[in-house]
């Protein structure tokens, strides 16, 4: 996941879909889901294409009490970046 975050928004569709699935999976622990949030934030901040499904997954993460506050803040930052760069 860290490598995906470093691609500056240039990830393949399979990797992007995997990030969304990881973030949405409530059976995965917070330590696994948090890097997916960070990667989506990085993609959004660098102008990468972030679709509606990713936007919705980030909104769910923002509301998820099982995730740490830092992860929810990262989700909020990703949502801000999406609206700023208009990538949905």
């Amino acid at each position: 996941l860290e490598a995906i975050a470093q691609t500056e928004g240039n990830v393949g569709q399979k990797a992007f879909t995997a990030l969304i699935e990881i973030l949405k999976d409530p059976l995965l622990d917070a330590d696994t889901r948090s890097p997916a949030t960070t990667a989506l934030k990085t993609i959004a901040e660098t102008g990468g294409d972030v679709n509606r499904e990713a936007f919705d997954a980030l909104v769910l993460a923002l509301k998820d009490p099982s995730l740490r506050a830092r992860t929810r803040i990262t989700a909020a930052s990703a949502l801000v970046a999406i609206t700023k760069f208009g990538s949905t």
Side-chain angles (χ1 to χ4, degrees), residues 57-86:
L58 288 163
V59 170
L60 288 175
L62 186 62
K63 298 176 180 180
D64 188 339
S66 72
L67 294 175
R68 292 184 184 92
R70 181 177 299 215
T71 301
R72 292 192 309 248
I73 290 169
T74 302
S77 297
L79 292 167
V80 168
I82 290 168
T83 58
K84 181 176 180 181
F85 296 109

Side-chain angles (χ1 to χ4, degrees), residues 16 19-21 23-25 33 37 40 50-64 67 75-76 78-79 82-83 87-88:
F16 186 75
L19 289 172
I20 295 168
E21 293 305 315
L23 185 56
K24 289 174 26 179
D25 189 341
R33 295 167 67 203
T37 306
L40 289 170
V50 180
N51 64 24
R52 182 64 187 202
E53 186 178 9
F55 184 89
D56 292 343
L58 288 163
V59 170
L60 288 175
L62 186 62
K63 298 176 180 180
D64 188 339
L67 294 175
L79 292 167
I82 290 168
T83 58
S87 58
T88 57

